[in-house]
Amino acid sequence: MRVFYVIAAIGAASCGPSHPLELPPPDVRVLYTESGKGDRGFNDSVFTGLENATNEFEFRKEEVTPKSELDATSVLTNWFNAPLDDDSPKLIITVGAPNGELVAKRNCDFGGNFVLHIDSLLPACPNERSFRFRVFVSSYLAGVASMRVSRLMRAGAVAGADVEPVNEFIRGFRKGVEDGGGEWVKTDYLAANESGFNVPGDARQAANEIYRTADVIIAPAGASAIGVIEAAKEKPDRYAIGVDSDQNALGPNVVIGSIVKRIDEVVRETIADINNGQFVSKSVDLLHASGYVSFEPAPRFLGRVEATIDEYLVRAAEAAALDRKAHP
């Protein structure tokens, strides 16, 4: 029996046929972050990847939302230490730096499982893939595009926590805002830990404060970003930039666009590779040019920002190269 274990905190695929008839359907176990599904971010992107995979492969799925980091650690440890009950491959997928640290502590001892980690690079191990989404270029383009919509030409950020994946969004966006003729007002971190990614009420309050003097906010804050978008709806001419997934549906009149990480495709493709015996170990930065990360303008604003995105693409790439030297 093929078993896919999936944790979400947080290559070329073959679209071949479903499992041979003689094999039972695999099992999929999903452990989300404490915010769970509905975060409009990486949890939902992992779920979308799993759903897309079901269109190609038959498998069973169990979903769990942990109550704490200790709970997630216990689940992951049990999965790694569980004896393999047959010769079929098993895949554990983790998303986010905290879960990545748990995987790294295994020192490549994965109990015979394959591993996919998303959103930070892990030390190279056999039977392991890790991907980091480098979002600077896409964030930069969101910044210059937002200045084509902004009236005040001032922007800020409401962020879940002061951690590197979040800060790359902010650095790229701020550089784009400034190169687009705008001014940076403030960055507000909601918490010192993962709890900041699931407090939409606090995010709403922080956004209201920034919206006093700025009219665009980027919100790399997980489920908390919903609070920023709601705050934008309450005021005239206030806008937001979505993060991780396409958040236009949350506020079609206020979301200028979203910086999208195709976590769903990475999940789907890895399941396909395991299914077809094509899993290859790798540790890769996924850049804007890869197509796995992009800035997607909302339809309402596309005509106002499309030319600007094309105009600033080279400058965005140059700025990103400098940023990667400073933040490798």
Side-chain angles (χ1 to χ4, degrees):
M1 178 175 60
R2 298 189 177 191
V3 181
F4 300 101
Y5 293 126
V6 183
I7 290 185
I10 87 250
S14 171
C15 297
S18 300
H19 292 285
L21 295 178
E22 67 270 22
L23 290 176
D27 294 329
V28 179
R29 297 181 181 179
V30 185
L31 181 62
Y32 296 103
T33 62
E34 294 175 43
S35 57
K37 288 188 295 185
D39 69 343
R40 306 286 180 164
F42 50 70
N43 282 330
D44 282 356
S45 292
V46 168
F47 177 75
T48 298
L50 293 169
E51 288 294 285
N52 291 342
T54 64
N55 295 327
E56 300 179 46
F57 313 108
E58 182 184 0
F59 58 89
R60 294 184 295 266
K61 178 177 61 185
E62 176 187 356
E63 300 173 271
V64 177
T65 299
K67 297 182 175 65
S68 64
E69 182 180 346
L70 182 62
D71 190 13
T73 301
S74 176
V75 171
L76 182 59
T77 300
N78 288 339
W79 288 352
F80 276 133
N81 292 345
L84 303 182
D85 54 6
D86 54 41
D87 294 329
S88 299
K90 298 169 177 64
L91 174 67
I92 295 176
I93 302 178
T94 65
V95 178
N99 280 343
E101 292 172 3
L102 298 178
V103 174
K105 289 178 181 178
R106 300 290 303 188
N107 295 318
C108 299
D109 178 12
F110 303 137
N113 298 281
F114 290 92
V115 172
L116 167 66
H117 177 68
I118 297 170
D119 233 14
S120 58
L121 297 185
L122 301 183
C125 291
N127 295 336
E128 173 195 271
R129 288 180 179 179
S130 64
F131 295 100
R132 177 171 55 177
F133 293 81
R134 301 310 300 255
V135 299
F136 190 98
V137 169
S138 301
S139 300
Y140 180 105
L141 296 175
V144 294
S146 70
M147 292 301 98
R148 298 300 175 264
V149 177
S150 170
R151 179 177 58 84
L152 300 177
M153 301 294 286
R154 306 183 88 209
V158 174
D162 185 1
V163 293
E164 177 51 29
V166 164
N167 287 333
E168 186 177 351
F169 280 112
I170 296 170
R171 290 194 307 270
F173 184 72
R174 178 172 181 172
K175 179 63 173 170
V177 165
E178 293 171 345
D179 285 1
E183 178 184 353
W184 192 255
V185 173
K186 182 182 182 183
T187 299
D188 195 335
Y189 295 103
L190 296 172
N193 52 40
E194 296 294 312
S195 66
F197 295 94
N198 195 29
V199 284
D202 292 352
R204 190 175 195 159
Q205 182 177 350
N208 282 331
E209 181 62 29
I210 294 176
Y211 280 140
R212 292 177 185 272
T213 57
D215 56 2
V216 182
I217 294 177
I218 187 174
S224 299
I226 297 172
V228 174
I229 295 171
E230 290 303 311
K233 293 178 183 178
E234 296 170 352
K235 298 174 175 58
D237 301 322
R238 294 300 187 266
Y239 306 100
I241 298 293
V243 163
D244 286 335
S245 62
D246 187 348
Q247 298 179 342
N248 174 60
L250 296 177
N253 295 322
V254 301
V255 176
I256 296 172
S258 300
I259 303 155
V260 177
K261 297 187 293 190
R262 296 305 307 274
I263 294 172
D264 57 334
E265 275 301 291
V266 169
V267 170
R268 188 202 65 79
E269 290 172 1
T270 300
I271 292 176
D273 287 349
I274 289 289
N275 180 80
N276 297 313
Q278 297 176 343
F279 186 99
V280 176
S281 300
K282 61 181 73 174
S283 184
V284 178
D285 275 336
L286 297 175
L287 307 179
H288 179 87
S290 72
Y292 286 91
V293 57
S294 61
F295 173 59
E296 303 292 336
R300 181 172 184 265
F301 300 100
L302 181 60
R304 299 165 68 178
V305 305
E306 190 172 20
T308 296
I309 293 171
D310 293 339
E311 176 186 353
Y312 278 85
L313 184 57
V314 172
R315 291 178 66 178
E318 292 171 348
L322 294 175
D323 186 76
R324 285 196 297 273
K325 290 181 179 179
H327 303 276

